[in-house]
Amino acid sequence: PIIPSINSHEILPLVKEIAERGACGVGYTVVRLNGAIGEVFSAWIRKAMPDRAEKVLHQIAECHNGNLNDSRFGTRMKGDGNIADQVAQQFALARKLYLKDKERPKLNCDLHEQYKDGQMKLF
C-alpha cells in the first residue's frame, strides 16, 4: 500500500525497478486503517515519526473522506481527493515511462489439462 508522505515518493523508482526486473504491470492501494489497525498505526507513527505523524494521518484521512478508513465500494482501495489523485497520477506516469511497451503473456491453461479429471475438464 501507498502511505502518503512515507512511501509515496518511492513510486517512480519502484516501478522503474520492477520494470527492469521483468514486471509487465503494477497495481497499488492507498493505505486504509480499519478497526484497531488505525489505533495501532497512529500510536506507532507518533512514536516512530513524531515530526510528521499528524501530517501523515491527515493525508490518509484526506484520502478516505476524512477518516482513517473508508469502506465505500469503489473508493476504499484507491481513495479519493487530492492526495489520492496525486498517487494515481504518479502511477499513471510511472506506467507510461517504464511499462508502456510491456504486455502480459497470454495465460496458457493447456499446461494444467493433465491434472483435470471428471467435471473439471469442462473448464
Side-chain angles (χ1 to χ4, degrees):
I2 299 301
I3 306 171
S5 295
I6 292 183
N7 66 354
S8 53
H9 67 281
E10 298 174 347
I11 294 170
L12 289 172
L14 173 71
V15 176
K16 180 180 181 190
E17 182 69 24
I18 66 164
E20 289 172 357
R21 292 177 181 245
C24 298
V26 64
Y28 73 95
T29 61
V30 173
V31 70
R32 63 187 190 105
L33 306 171
N34 48 333
I37 303 297
E39 295 172 23
V40 171
F41 183 87
S42 297
W44 169 80
I45 197 163
R46 286 188 175 105
K47 289 178 187 170
M49 301 176 186
D51 56 324
R52 57 184 164 155
E54 293 307 314
K55 177 182 179 181
V56 171
L57 292 170
H58 175 74
Q59 288 183 347
I60 292 170
E62 186 179 327
C63 291
H64 299 296
N65 205 28
N67 302 302
L68 294 179
N69 179 37
D70 186 357
S71 298
R72 294 178 296 157
F73 182 78
T75 60
R76 65 178 168 230
M77 303 310 278
K78 303 289 184 186
D80 58 6
N82 292 335
I83 302 295
D85 289 345
Q86 290 173 4
V87 170
Q89 290 171 9
Q90 286 184 64
F91 269 94
L93 177 61
R95 286 183 187 107
K96 184 177 179 181
L97 289 173
Y98 305 117
L99 298 169
K100 68 179 176 183
D101 296 327
K102 305 254 183 161
E103 289 185 25
R104 289 186 179 175
K106 187 174 188 275
L107 184 62
N108 183 355
C109 296
D110 296 337
L111 299 172
H112 305 285
E113 188 67 31
Q114 62 185 331
Y115 300 107
K116 294 181 179 183
D117 59 358
Q119 288 186 344
M120 288 304 294
K121 288 199 179 269
L122 297 172
F123 301 99

